Amino acid sequence: IRQRAREELRNAGDMDFTSLYRTAMEGGDERTLPGAIGGLSETGQPGDAALVLPYLGHPLVKVRKGVIRALARLDPAAHTDLFFAALIDGQAGISREGFEALASLPVKPWGERLWDIYASSSARHVRKNALKLLLLLPRWDRVPYLLRTVLDADAEFRERSEIGLRRVLWGYNRTYFVSPTAVQRERIRRVYEEVRSDLPESIRQEIMPILT
């Protein structure tokens, strides 16, 4: 809607929308702040992240969600830690925005960090979003974590993990032919030995070609 409105106004004459959004943000009016943050995220530059950042602690959830979305658009690489803080937030909507922001980044070297969150959090929405990010890790990096999450007491998490794990195991030498590195294979082997007795027989059979 904002984009359509900008196009119509632009056709009617010159308009500096970015400056308009910056000015609207300075007032901090709760009625216009969400729209101003959203508009600036769509038209601004990386440096505009500094204008958005102070509102991260705003009492309105919709404003905080907008800030996270804006940071993910304006300067995502510089705000990874803030996205992780959002991921573990007690508000499910904030956690979801943290997930979306982290999922949008092209490189995700966070396996252990995500596993720590998944294993330690008592909030189901946080664990769910951490699992979804674990499923986005590079193929062989995600396997050690899925060998553990597939044993979760939560039925939904078990199902998600098993589907993700079987996609990797079944596809090996069928739809892709890239083997794990020696380091990756050793990590998979180490975790497999820890959980082997609890794994379904079908998974134990499917994983053997990777370990040999």
Side-chain angles (χ1 to χ4, degrees):
I1 295 175
R2 278 192 299 266
Q3 183 177 359
R4 189 182 306 120
R6 285 196 297 267
E7 290 174 355
E8 292 178 357
L9 289 171
R10 190 176 289 113
N11 291 335
D14 292 337
M15 175 104 34
D16 185 351
F17 292 102
T18 304
S19 295
L20 183 67
Y21 293 135
R22 288 169 181 157
T23 301
M25 285 190 58
E26 291 174 0
D29 188 330
E30 292 182 353
R31 296 169 298 177
T32 59
L33 189 56
I37 292 173
L40 189 60
S41 75
E42 295 165 356
T43 64
Q45 303 297 320
D48 289 314
L51 297 178
V52 174
L53 193 57
Y55 294 102
L56 190 60
H58 198 279
L60 290 181
V61 171
K62 64 180 179 180
V63 172
R64 292 165 58 201
K65 289 167 64 176
V67 170
I68 297 164
R69 284 195 296 269
L71 294 175
R73 286 183 173 181
L74 293 169
D75 194 10
H79 297 95
T80 302
D81 287 341
L82 291 180
F83 301 151
F84 268 100
L87 182 70
I88 63 175
D89 195 276
Q91 288 279 351
I94 300 296
S95 179
R96 185 168 56 252
E97 293 295 341
F99 160 76
E100 295 289 351
L102 291 168
S104 70
L105 295 176
V107 180
K108 304 174 179 65
W110 319 308
E112 286 301 302
R113 191 171 184 179
L114 290 170
W115 169 250
D116 288 344
I117 291 172
Y118 181 88
S120 64
S121 179
S122 59
R124 190 175 188 273
H125 67 270
V126 172
R127 300 182 74 236
K128 182 176 181 178
N129 289 326
L131 175 57
K132 288 160 63 177
L133 287 167
L134 286 170
L135 287 163
L136 295 178
L137 294 177
R139 180 184 295 121
W140 297 118
D141 290 343
R142 79 182 76 137
V143 169
Y145 304 109
L146 297 183
L147 285 171
R148 291 191 173 106
T149 60
V150 78
L151 301 175
D152 199 284
D154 188 299
E156 180 187 351
F157 296 169
R158 287 200 309 273
E159 182 179 2
R160 284 176 177 264
S161 301
E162 183 169 353
I163 291 172
L165 184 58
R166 289 189 184 279
R167 282 176 178 167
V168 176
L169 301 181
W170 184 89
Y172 184 52
N173 284 338
R174 289 187 178 93
T175 60
Y176 61 88
F177 303 91
V178 178
S179 298
T181 66
V183 172
Q184 289 171 326
R185 182 178 282 111
E186 181 55 33
R187 291 188 68 242
I188 295 170
R189 187 193 310 278
R190 186 169 63 250
V191 175
Y192 172 72
E193 292 299 331
E194 293 175 6
V195 302
R196 175 174 56 180
S197 61
D198 297 319
L199 291 171
E201 176 63 25
S202 58
I203 290 181
R204 293 204 298 266
Q205 291 178 357
E206 290 176 17
I207 204 171
M208 291 313 298
I210 296 168
L211 300 179
T212 57

